[in-house]
């Protein structure tokens, strides 16, 4: 939802603050982290702060540069804050569950996706989107192959994610996924022509 108010690089870099949220809320839940993890999280947060304090510039069709600092940007940032809070609580609960029940990575993946499918099914029923979605697939059956590829690649990625959560904890998993997001940022900048200042490039580095 935040993409409706801020550009993609800002959204991805904002989400890169997730290690800080996982660390902070994990401490509130009684987790103990090493000094190296604190330093790593602080370095990531410093880079994010440097980026967010800079105004995001965009190219217009005329080649001019506009500075987007309107109320819409602040709405997007508030949505990011809510998302980070949910991420932190999720990480803390995952660590608590793993420490208490010792499930395998595949059990974590199975039951997480089963509950997610149940919640989404209910949401589709309530919103009235279930029937239109089914009719769309019936009208354009070629999309089924794309959905299968998406599901396969997503499931393959989740195997690594839940393995990291099970054996190394949610904070390490978050730091791994954050590193991947930096490459996503660079690709988005090159693809869509976003303009980053020298300070923002330093923050990404």
């Amino acid at each position: 939802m935040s993409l409706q108010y801020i550009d993609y690089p800002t959204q991805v870099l904002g989400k890169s603050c997730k290690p800080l949220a996982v660390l902070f809320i994990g401490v509130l839940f009684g987790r103990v982290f090493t000094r190296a993890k604190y330093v790593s999280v602080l370095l990531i947060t410093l880079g994010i702060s440097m980026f967010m304090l800079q105004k995001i510039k965009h190219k217009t069709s005329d080649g001019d540069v506009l500075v987007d600092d309107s109320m819409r940007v602040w709405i997007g940032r508030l949505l990011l804050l809510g998302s980070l809070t949910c991420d932190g609580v999720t990480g803390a609960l995952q660590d608590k569950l793993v420490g208490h029940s010792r499930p395998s990575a595949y059990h974590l993946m199975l039951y997480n996706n089963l509950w997610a499918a149940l919640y989404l099914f209910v949401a589709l029923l309530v919103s009235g989107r279930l029937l239109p979605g089914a009719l769309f697939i019936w009208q354009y059956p070629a999309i089924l192959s794309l959905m299968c590829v998406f599901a396969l690649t997503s499931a393959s990625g989740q195997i690594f994610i839940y393995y990291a959560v099970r054996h190394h904890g949610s904070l390490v998993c978050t730091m791994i996924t954050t590193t991947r997001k930096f490459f996503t940022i660079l690709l988005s900048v090159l693809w869509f022509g976003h303009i980053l200042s020298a300070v923002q490039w330093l923050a990404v580095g």
Side-chain angles (χ1 to χ4, degrees), residues 119-175:
Y119 289 145
L120 288 174
F121 181 75
V122 173
L124 287 173
L125 286 177
V126 173
S127 64
R129 300 290 183 88
L130 182 61
L131 183 59
L135 292 176
F136 182 85
I137 296 175
W138 180 268
Q139 186 177 0
Y140 303 99
I143 199 175
L144 284 173
S145 60
L146 297 177
M147 293 174 63
C148 289
V149 172
F150 178 81
L152 180 61
T153 53
S154 177
S156 300
Q158 285 188 29
I159 291 175
F160 295 100
I161 290 174
Y162 285 107
Y163 182 88
V165 171
R166 172 62 179 82
H167 296 281
H168 303 286
S170 61
L171 183 60
V172 172
C173 178
T174 302
M175 296 172 69

Side-chain angles (χ1 to χ4, degrees), residues 2-25:
S2 60
L3 283 177
Q4 300 178 29
Y5 303 97
I6 55 179
D7 60 29
Y8 187 61
T10 305
Q11 189 259 356
V12 173
L13 276 170
K15 287 287 289 182
S16 296
C17 287
K18 181 178 177 180
L20 181 62
V22 173
L23 179 69
F24 177 72
I25 297 180

Side-chain angles (χ1 to χ4, degrees), residues 64-147:
D64 298 329
V65 175
L66 297 177
V67 178
D68 189 358
D69 196 21
S70 63
M71 181 62 68
R72 293 176 60 85
V73 176
W74 287 104
I75 293 175
R77 290 173 181 174
L78 288 175
L79 291 172
L80 281 176
L81 180 61
S83 176
L84 289 172
T85 302
C86 292
D87 287 336
V89 173
T90 299
L93 291 178
Q94 284 178 334
D95 290 337
K96 188 174 182 179
L97 174 64
V98 169
H100 179 267
S101 302
R102 311 298 295 177
S104 68
Y106 300 107
H107 281 105
L108 283 172
M109 180 176 172
L110 172 64
Y111 291 110
N112 183 78
N113 284 287
L114 283 177
W115 280 104
L118 177 61
Y119 289 145
L120 288 174
F121 181 75
V122 173
L124 287 173
L125 286 177
V126 173
S127 64
R129 300 290 183 88
L130 182 61
L131 183 59
L135 292 176
F136 182 85
I137 296 175
W138 180 268
Q139 186 177 0
Y140 303 99
I143 199 175
L144 284 173
S145 60
L146 297 177
M147 293 174 63

